[in-house]
Every structure is written in structure tokens, then in C-alpha cells.
Amino acid sequence: MKALEPAANAAAALGALLDSLVDPAVRDLAWLLFSPDLLRAQPPAGMLASPFESAGEASSTVAWLLHLDQDARDLHENLAVAHVTRLGRYAECLLGYFLRYGPAARLVAANVALRRAGRTIGECDFLVETAGGRRLHWELAVKCYLRAGGASVSMADYVGPNLQDRFDLKFTHLLDHQLPLSAREEFASLGHEGPWDAQMFVKGWLFYRWCDEAQVSEAVLPIPAEIHPAHARGWWLAREDFPRVAAGHAQAWAVLPRLAWLAPRHRVPVDCATAGHLLGSDALVEQLAQQSGPTMVAAFERDDGAQWFERSRGFVVPNDWPARALAFAGQ
């Protein structure tokens, strides 16, 4: 039990911070900075990025976020100019804003393309410099993977909802291709004096089949050694199984659009329910029947009557998805 206490304390601290923030984009930025990593460090090449060089920087960032939450117009204008439609790009814009205006590491360059003979061979996400003078190369990824449910305990078991991505393939590409970019000869000619310490900044959610979450303790559910045990977790269900659990799991539901896949949606006004943003379980089942692919949904409960808060989130997938996911995972 002792080993779980730091993770539990960190989760409580993040929850308290998110509870104090109202603006969705500010909440997403706070989650990006303070949420647990999806991966453990993989020394020597796969070290983890930290937005903060000291406890003082982390504390200053909390104060900065609380101030930003009072007037987030500049952040929203930056997002609007970027015409963000993809989750990864949204996360890049949030982190870039923090590196330009926040109280910690400073942005040197972003999206630095490396080319050879006119062909792009890679792109470094962020080059940053800390207050202590460290020069860091960060590779950012925000991923949502569903554990396919096979018998093995492997990174390959974790697949993207649309079965076009797999955690082991992303992990290998990150270690073997993306992180070494700043050490290549082509990079040295771009004028960004190094050396640069390459680090991975990988956040997101991992989703486990509902029966795993309901019947097996998360503490004993085996996970690959590469995955951080404190990672953010959700669940998944086949569409035919969803109605039997939906009514008993939450007072209300919502379909989460892709750009709402970062921070939990804790602070939703009660009047959103009357505006159609929140649905009863029957209405959600009816809506999901019109969907052809996996859909992320969130379960909501009311607090003292003033707010709805997200209780959990998960994917509702087509009935044939589990078998196709196992095949995609190589099981």
C-alpha cells in the first residue's frame, strides 16, 4: 500500500487543481502538465520530460493557471488562429502556449523539420531551455489506447480505437526515430546549438474492458513493464453490452468530441442537461445506434446541484470490434 501513496497523492493534487479551474482549455493545459505519464522512463535513450525543473516552478505554474483561468481569451485566440482539429495538434498548441508564456522552461523552437536531399526525414516537436540552462528536445504524444484483452501482457495489446495505431509500434518509433532526431548530422546544420537531451512527453488514457474494471482489481491487473502504473484509466464496452450497464452507472451521459479527450469534464453546468449536452442512458443508447465506429462517452453525476462532474469515461465500440482488435494486436 505504501508504494501507491505518492501516485494517490499526485492524483488528488491534480483533481484539486482541476476542480478549481473552469475554462475547458485551461483545464486541458493543466491536465497536460500535471497528469501522470503513460510510460515509465526507458533509460538511457527514453527519458521522461518534466515541465518543471523544481517544486517552485510547479507551484508558480499552478498560480499562473489560476490567473489564466480568470481571463483565457489570449489562449483561445491562439487556438483559434491555429485552426485546431486534431487532438495531437491541440496538445501541441497548449504546450507551446505554456512554453511561451508560462513560468517554467522556455521555448527555443517548435516543429523543427529535418531534411535530406529535399526529403523530410523527421520533425522535432519542441526545443526548450530550462532556467538552469538545460537544453531539451521534447517529443510530445497524446494517445488513447484500448487494451484488446488478449492473454499476453504486451504493449501490442493496446490498440487505437480505429485499429490504425498500436502502442508498441508508437513506442518503437518514438525511441528509434523521433528521439534521436536532435542528435543527427542534419540537425546540427539548422543552427540550434546543442547538445540536446531528448525526452518523451507522452500523456493520455488507457482503456480496459468493463469486466476487467468491474471484476478485477486494478492493483493486480497485469500491465507491461513499459507502462506507468499511475496512468489515466478508462473502460470500453461493446455496443450490445452498453445498455445493461449504462443506467446503473451514471445519472447522465455525454458523447465526448475528440478535442475533449484530455482533462475530465468535471465542471459542467446543470443547465447543459436541458440544452441537450447531457443525455439519459436510453437517449445515449439511441444515439450510439447511429454511430458506425468507436465513440468516447463520459458518465456524469451531480454534486450539490450546481454542477455535473465526470465520474468516468470510456469507449463504446461496435460489436465486432473486440475480435478485430485481437487480430490487430496479433493475438
Side-chain angles (χ1 to χ4, degrees):
M1 187 67 181
K2 292 285 186 182
L4 299 178
E5 288 178 359
N9 291 341
L14 175 59
L17 174 59
L18 291 178
D19 282 345
S20 65
L21 298 172
V22 176
D23 185 88
V26 178
R27 288 168 49 79
D28 284 339
L29 175 53
W31 182 90
L32 189 66
L33 296 173
F34 287 96
S35 65
D37 296 283
L38 280 190
L39 293 168
R40 294 178 185 267
Q42 307 294 317
M47 302 306 292
L48 298 180
S50 172
F52 318 114
E53 199 170 38
S54 66
E57 284 188 354
S59 179
S60 296
T61 297
V62 170
W64 178 79
L65 288 166
L66 292 170
H67 179 75
L68 179 63
D69 193 51
Q70 301 303 308
D71 184 358
R73 286 177 294 181
D74 185 60
L75 172 59
H76 285 280
E77 287 171 4
N78 274 261
L79 293 171
V81 168
H83 302 292
V84 174
T85 58
R86 295 183 296 106
L87 184 65
R89 179 60 181 149
Y90 177 52
E92 284 184 8
C93 290
L94 291 174
L95 185 56
Y97 186 89
F98 170 72
L99 292 171
R100 288 194 299 273
Y101 304 112
R106 287 300 184 190
L107 180 68
V108 174
N111 304 123
V112 180
L114 279 71
R115 295 181 174 85
R116 173 190 289 171
R119 182 177 65 88
T120 299
I121 58 176
E123 189 175 85
C124 297
D125 289 343
F126 293 97
L127 302 179
V128 305
E129 185 170 3
T130 70
R134 295 188 66 195
R135 296 172 73 77
L136 307 174
H137 161 207
W138 286 352
E139 283 298 317
L140 172 67
V142 175
K143 308 301 290 186
C144 290
Y145 290 115
L146 289 66
R147 187 175 185 272
S152 67
V153 181
S154 166
M155 295 279 281
D157 297 337
Y158 294 81
V159 300
N162 291 319
L163 303 182
Q164 297 176 346
D165 188 13
R166 219 170 64 187
F167 206 176
D168 63 321
L169 302 178
K170 175 62 180 176
F171 182 61
T172 299
H173 183 68
L174 182 64
L175 289 183
D176 295 348
H177 178 73
Q178 292 176 261
L179 290 176
L181 287 173
S182 55
R184 294 181 64 117
E185 291 182 7
E186 295 86 353
F187 186 83
S189 66
L190 296 178
H192 299 297
E193 183 180 353
W196 299 90
D197 290 333
Q199 300 175 335
M200 49 189 184
F201 199 121
V202 183
K203 300 298 181 83
W205 295 76
L206 301 182
F207 297 83
Y208 297 83
R209 194 163 193 168
W210 181 276
C211 61
D212 287 343
E213 185 179 74
Q215 299 173 11
V216 180
S217 168
E218 290 187 351
V220 300
L221 186 67
I223 61 172
E226 300 90 342
I227 292 178
H228 198 294
H231 64 269
R233 293 172 180 253
W235 45 265
W236 65 265
L237 274 168
R239 196 170 292 139
E240 63 186 357
D241 297 324
F242 182 70
R244 67 179 173 80
V245 300
H249 185 64
Q251 294 176 327
W253 294 86
V255 173
L256 295 183
R258 191 171 294 270
L259 295 188
W261 286 9
L262 299 186
R265 318 321 279 182
H266 277 310
R267 301 177 66 92
V268 180
V270 165
D271 59 10
C272 281
T274 59
H277 298 297
L278 295 182
L279 304 169
S281 58
D282 291 342
L284 180 63
V285 168
E286 183 176 342
Q287 182 171 328
L288 290 174
Q290 311 304 315
Q291 304 288 330
S292 60
T295 304
M296 190 190 286
V297 300
F300 285 85
E301 299 287 348
R302 289 177 67 162
D303 53 15
D304 59 0
Q307 300 280 344
W308 292 90
F309 67 93
E310 182 181 320
R311 176 180 177 180
S312 71
R313 64 174 54 187
F315 276 95
V316 181
V317 300
N319 295 333
D320 66 344
W321 187 94
R324 291 189 292 115
L326 281 175
F328 184 68
Q331 299 283 340

